[in-house]
Each structure stands twice: as C-alpha cells, then as structure tokens.
Amino acid sequence: MAALSIQERKRLRQIGHALNPVVMIGDKGLSENVVEETNRALTDHELIKIKVSGEDREARAAVIAEIADTTASEVVQTIGKIALLYKKAAKQNPKLSNLVRHAHLSN
C-alpha cells in the first residue's frame, strides 16, 4: 500500500475524530476472530478506530503494527490506546463508508 500524503492523513484524522472505536483488543492480544472482525469493519467502513488495552506502550504499539500488517491497512494516527486504521475498499458502499458519511467534516 502506498504511503498516505500529509493532506490525506490530515483529512482522515479530521473524519476519524468523530468516530468511536469499533474493535477492542483485550489482554489476550490478536486472535483470529479479532483479525476477522477488523477486516470486516475495514471492508465496510474503510476508516475505523481500534482500542488496544494494556499498560505497556511497546506491547500496544506492536499489536497495532501487527494488526495493520495482518489486515493490509495503514495506521493513520495513534493516540494512547486508540489507533485509526485506513484501508481503501475495492467497492465503496456509500451507506457504510465513513469516508462518504463524514465527508462534510473534512474541509
């Protein structure tokens, strides 16, 4: 996946600000079901927030990097325990895509 430009990242962060986490990763880390759910959410919404529990920063960063790698998505931003992931959909669904639904937020 090509790296996002500064303008694209800024636009995605603006849209992501209005989103709530849709995937929560607990103490057990990444399981097959978590990866499946993340892939489904990325396919439907393109831009999602995930929340990773745990107090160790390095462990959280490793989990975020691993899920981004596993799902072939791009980490747009990480703040604390929340990460914003983006993956362009092959066929965008206007009713589900956060990029379409929240396009008015990015000016």
Side-chain angles (χ1 to χ4, degrees):
M1 176 174 237
L4 297 169
S5 72
I6 294 171
Q7 280 74 26
E8 289 172 317
R9 283 188 186 278
K10 183 178 177 184
R11 182 177 150 264
L12 293 174
R13 285 195 313 262
Q14 286 174 334
I15 294 170
H17 185 71
L19 303 177
N20 291 319
V22 293
V23 176
M24 313 276 185
I25 301 174
D27 295 333
K28 298 196 177 173
L30 284 181
S31 67
E32 209 173 293
N33 291 335
V34 170
V35 172
E36 259 181 55
E37 182 61 24
T38 305
N39 265 326
R40 186 210 53 80
L42 282 166
T43 301
D44 289 346
H45 303 295
E46 295 184 274
L47 183 70
I48 63 168
K49 274 186 181 176
I50 62 169
K51 184 173 185 176
V52 181
S53 67
E55 295 304 317
D56 185 18
R57 283 185 189 174
E58 288 81 24
R60 282 196 315 258
V63 168
I64 291 169
E66 185 178 350
I67 192 128
D69 189 46
T70 305
T71 60
S73 61
E74 179 99 19
V75 178
V76 176
Q77 182 179 36
T78 304
I79 299 176
K81 297 180 180 188
I82 306 289
L84 188 62
L85 298 180
Y86 168 72
K87 182 177 179 183
K88 183 159 178 59
K91 186 172 184 236
Q92 198 174 52
N93 183 342
K95 293 182 180 177
L96 295 176
S97 174
N98 285 326
L99 299 181
V100 174
R101 292 174 48 229
H102 298 287
H104 64 282
L105 297 175
S106 62
N107 292 329

